[in-house]
């Protein structure tokens, strides 16, 4: 929290987010007093306030993700998701994909699998894990003593999970003091390819029907113009629920000419 305060993530008047990038190369030990002064008036128990600061930090520091241990991330999300919140679940799934964990294996052993609407679902091919996903999962664990954000209580009994939460949080804080490489391009948020509207399938042809001469009582479908026998009450070509009597009036002239 001190680091986020120092980097202006709790300053709601901040308009230029690039100020953070210019000011992040500070000495953490010298910034503690200043951070405590700046933190006056900030409610660190307000989840939305802290969440906004953490996620904005994650968006800005996209570079941190590449420096974190994949093995630690595997432990962080390998036993399941801390909650069924859709964004927390989505971030956990991306982190599992990033570390090559099988989604089905994790979901099958997760205690939330029966109550999670997104259990066993996989993410889109173009979606990739980012620093913001790490921050979202760490926030769930870090805020649990305040609001009980970890619904999957079995994870809190995993000593290895507690260890990597502290380790990853320590690494994120440490890396946040290292200026971001200005030559490092930000991640490209890939969008799924647009859905192409498929043309309707061609009407089904019934062998021997097109060349048959119309007889008394036969009728033409008002939707597909298919000739139906008198005994048919719905169109056999398009399966439209078009009653024969409704078509007689529309096609009366054609029938009269035929007869």
């Amino acid at each position: 929290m001190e680091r986020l305060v120092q980097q202006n993530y709790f300053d709601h008047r901040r308009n230029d987010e690039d100020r953070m990038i210019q000011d992040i190369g500070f000495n953490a030990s010298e910034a503690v007093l200043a951070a405590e002064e700046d933190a006056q008036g900030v409610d660190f128990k307000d989840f939305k306030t802290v969440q906004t600061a953490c996620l904005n930090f994650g968006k800005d520091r996209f570079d941190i993700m590449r420096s974190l241990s994949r093995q630690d991330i595997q432990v962080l999300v390998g036993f399941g998701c801390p909650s069924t919140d859709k964004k927390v679940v989505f971030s956990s799934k991306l982190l599992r994909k990033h570390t090559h964990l099988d989604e089905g294996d994790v979901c099958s052993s997760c205690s939330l699998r029966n109550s999670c609407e997104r259990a066993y679902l996989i993410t889109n091919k173009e979606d990739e894990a980012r620093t913001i996903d790490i921050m979202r999962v760490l926030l769930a664990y870090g805020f649990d003593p305040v609001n009980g954000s970890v619904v999957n209580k079995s994870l809190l009994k995993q000593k290895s999970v507690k260890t990597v939460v502290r380790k990853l949080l320590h690494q994120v804080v440490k890396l946040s003091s290292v200026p971001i490489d200005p030559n490092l391009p930000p991640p490209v948020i890939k969008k799924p390819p647009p859905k192409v509207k498929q043309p309707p399938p061609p009407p089904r042809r019934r062998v021997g029907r097109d060349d048959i001469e119309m007889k008394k009582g036969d009728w033409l479908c008002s939707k597909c113009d298919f000739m139906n026998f008198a005994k048919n009450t719905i169109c056999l070509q398009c399966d439209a629920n078009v009653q024969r009597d409704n078509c007689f009036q529309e096609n009366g002239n054609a029938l009269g000419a035929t007869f």
Side-chain angles (χ1 to χ4, degrees):
M1 295 300 100
E2 292 171 353
R3 184 60 54 88
L4 293 176
V5 168
Q6 181 65 24
Q7 296 179 359
N8 297 320
Y9 281 102
F10 289 103
D11 183 2
H12 299 291
R13 298 166 299 177
R14 183 174 63 118
N15 294 322
D16 184 8
E17 293 185 357
D18 290 335
R19 272 174 48 192
M20 184 280 301
I21 298 179
Q22 299 173 2
D23 298 337
I24 58 176
F26 67 93
N27 188 318
S29 61
E30 297 176 357
V32 172
L33 293 178
E36 290 177 349
E37 294 177 359
D38 293 339
Q40 293 181 0
V42 178
D43 184 5
F44 292 113
K45 292 186 178 181
D46 180 37
F47 180 76
K48 291 298 296 184
T49 299
V50 176
Q51 181 189 49
T52 299
C54 289
L55 298 186
N56 284 336
F57 168 81
K59 293 177 183 177
D60 290 342
R61 293 308 305 267
F62 57 87
D63 61 308
I64 289 179
M65 181 67 185
R66 63 175 58 194
S67 300
L68 300 178
S69 166
R70 291 201 176 202
Q71 184 176 359
D72 290 339
I73 297 176
Q74 280 185 334
V75 176
L76 179 69
V77 295
F79 294 96
C81 301
S83 75
T84 56
D85 177 85
K86 62 180 181 179
K87 292 187 176 180
V88 173
V89 172
F90 181 69
S91 290
S92 299
K93 287 178 179 291
L94 289 179
L95 294 172
R96 284 194 282 270
K97 182 169 72 171
H98 176 72
T99 56
H100 306 294
L101 287 173
D102 185 270
E103 188 66 22
D105 291 343
V106 176
C107 286
S108 62
S109 60
C110 178
S111 62
L112 300 180
R113 62 185 179 277
N114 294 328
S115 58
C116 181
E117 296 179 355
R118 296 162 184 83
Y120 300 101
L121 297 180
I122 59 175
T123 59
N124 295 327
K125 182 179 180 180
E126 61 274 3
D127 294 328
E128 298 179 355
R130 297 178 290 156
T131 306
I132 188 174
D133 298 306
I134 282 287
M135 296 305 300
R136 187 173 279 121
V137 176
L138 290 179
L139 178 64
Y141 283 104
F143 226 78
D144 179 69
V146 179
N147 68 349
S149 51
V150 177
V151 180
N152 193 346
K153 299 302 182 182
S154 63
L155 298 179
L156 299 178
K157 301 177 182 179
Q158 295 282 351
K159 185 176 180 180
S160 59
V161 174
K162 287 186 176 182
T163 300
V164 299
V165 167
R166 295 189 181 98
K167 182 179 179 181
L168 288 169
L169 183 58
H170 174 76
Q171 290 176 339
V172 169
V173 173
K174 183 177 179 180
L175 291 168
S176 69
S177 65
V178 180
I180 189 172
D181 183 356
N183 297 320
L184 188 64
V188 178
I189 308 301
K190 301 178 182 178
K191 296 182 179 180
K195 294 183 178 179
V196 179
K197 187 176 181 180
Q198 298 294 332
R204 292 175 295 174
R205 296 180 60 85
R206 300 184 185 274
V207 178
R209 180 60 63 89
D210 295 339
D211 298 328
I212 295 178
E213 181 181 357
M214 291 185 70
K215 297 181 180 180
K216 185 177 180 179
D218 293 346
W219 53 279
L220 298 177
C221 177
S222 60
K223 289 191 174 182
C224 69
D225 204 35
F226 180 75
M227 190 200 80
N228 289 274
F229 293 144
K231 64 180 180 180
N232 300 332
T233 57
I234 63 174
C235 180
L236 295 182
Q237 173 73 6
C238 63
D239 292 331
N241 190 16
V242 179
Q243 296 298 325
R244 177 180 57 185
D245 294 340
N246 295 338
C247 298
F248 282 154
Q249 294 180 354
E250 299 177 11
N251 301 305
N253 292 336
L255 287 172
T258 302
F259 300 142

